Amino acid sequence: MVPPMPVPTRIIVNGAAGRMGRRILALASERPTEFAIVAGVDRAPGTLRDLGVASDAPLVAQLPTERGAVVIDFSHHSAFYATALHCANQGQPLVSGTTGIEPAVLDSGLAAAAKAVAAMHAMNYSVGVNIVFQIAAQMAKTLGADYDIEIVEAHHNQKVDAPSGTAYGIADAITAATGRTRNDLVHGREGQTGKRRKGEIGMHAMRLGDVVGDHSVYFVGQGERILLGHVAHSRDIFAVGALRAAAWISGRGPGRYAMKDVLGL
Ligand code: NAD
């Protein structure tokens, strides 16, 4: 018997004209058996071809209603709550990567969406980075308190904040797994710092040329050093992960999901 043809995941990309939106649409258009682009949404309407995407789908100014189509949101924090309510009201699953959303707004928007549809938000959609979160937590827990942990990140010289959200993500995964808090993080060291306090986690940021994003976690104990690292070659890692999340969430029941669910971690 011939196996049934897989049904492509229908997607709507909110923030379609942005750096992330364009890459998500471009990558989806290259995988037509897996993804069907319903529309792009951004402030200036037109066609997706105007954005250089090989698709005849429209570029519209309002989220369209298309029951079951996954809304992939990489837009602006001010649009998040309305996007979440639209998804809940129209039966459209939500995969959001937009950052800068007030924690209370993020929580209430996701809760409202999750009552009606499958919904998720992730600060980082890279599959590799999510695995690093998981492994770093597991290593810290298993190695125990006698291993010193330091996190070093490098980004391009245009980045305006430090340390990176991903470095915080690694630190949060480690602190949650080992009963520590963000109060145990020590940012850089200078002057008469005194000896290293057991349990502290050093955070260090380098700013260099056009580096996309490097993260290293050092675990150093008596007589050995273990180094866990991730190097991003391009922002496509987020787009690929968001598409993987959209394919996974499509057709799932209402609820709040995370990348660790998508990846089975
Ligand atoms: P960008 O500024 O290039 O693009 C954002 C787009 O959203 C713009 O085209 C803008 O016109 C559009 N937009 C603004 N308000 C809108 C609204 N109300 N409705 C629809 N569209 C609207 O930014 P970017 O680099 O593409 O990033 C977008 C968001 O995704 C940011 O919050 C960024 O921090 C986040 N991001 C998240 C991840 C992750 O893995 N979670 C990765 C990269 C970027």
Side-chain angles (χ1 to χ4, degrees), residues 175-195:
T175 56
T178 58
R180 284 177 260 202
T181 70
R182 280 201 180 184
N183 291 336
D184 293 309
L185 307 185
V186 174
H187 296 271
R189 290 191 185 86
E190 195 187 21
Q192 296 299 313
T193 58
K195 283 188 190 167

Side-chain angles (χ1 to χ4, degrees), residues 14 18-20 42-43 74 79 97 99 122-125 235 238:
N14 198 32
R19 281 168 294 190
M20 285 304 301
D42 211 297
R43 289 183 289 202
F74 282 76
T99 61
M123 298 297 278
N124 191 312
Y125 274 93
R235 291 164 62 90
F238 309 121

Side-chain angles (χ1 to χ4, degrees), residues 111-191:
K115 278 191 200 142
V117 291
M120 65 180 283
H121 178 275
M123 298 297 278
N124 191 312
Y125 274 93
S126 154
V127 170
V129 164
N130 277 278
I131 290 169
V132 167
F133 289 160
Q134 181 81 8
I135 293 174
Q138 194 184 324
M139 285 174 71
K141 199 170 165 183
T142 307
L143 291 169
D146 288 338
Y147 282 72
D148 294 333
I149 304 173
E150 304 264 323
I151 300 171
V152 184
E153 57 101 329
H155 282 85
H156 53 84
N157 57 23
Q158 301 301 302
K159 188 167 172 63
V160 295
D161 57 323
S164 67
T166 301
Y168 271 123
I170 296 169
D172 289 344
I174 292 172
T175 56
T178 58
R180 284 177 260 202
T181 70
R182 280 201 180 184
N183 291 336
D184 293 309
L185 307 185
V186 174
H187 296 271
R189 290 191 185 86
E190 195 187 21

Side-chain angles (χ1 to χ4, degrees), residues 206-223:
M206 298 191 283
R207 295 294 171 258
L208 303 159
D210 61 354
V211 173
V212 174
D214 293 2
H215 292 86
S216 305
V217 192
Y218 289 77
F219 298 88
V220 184
Q222 204 67 42

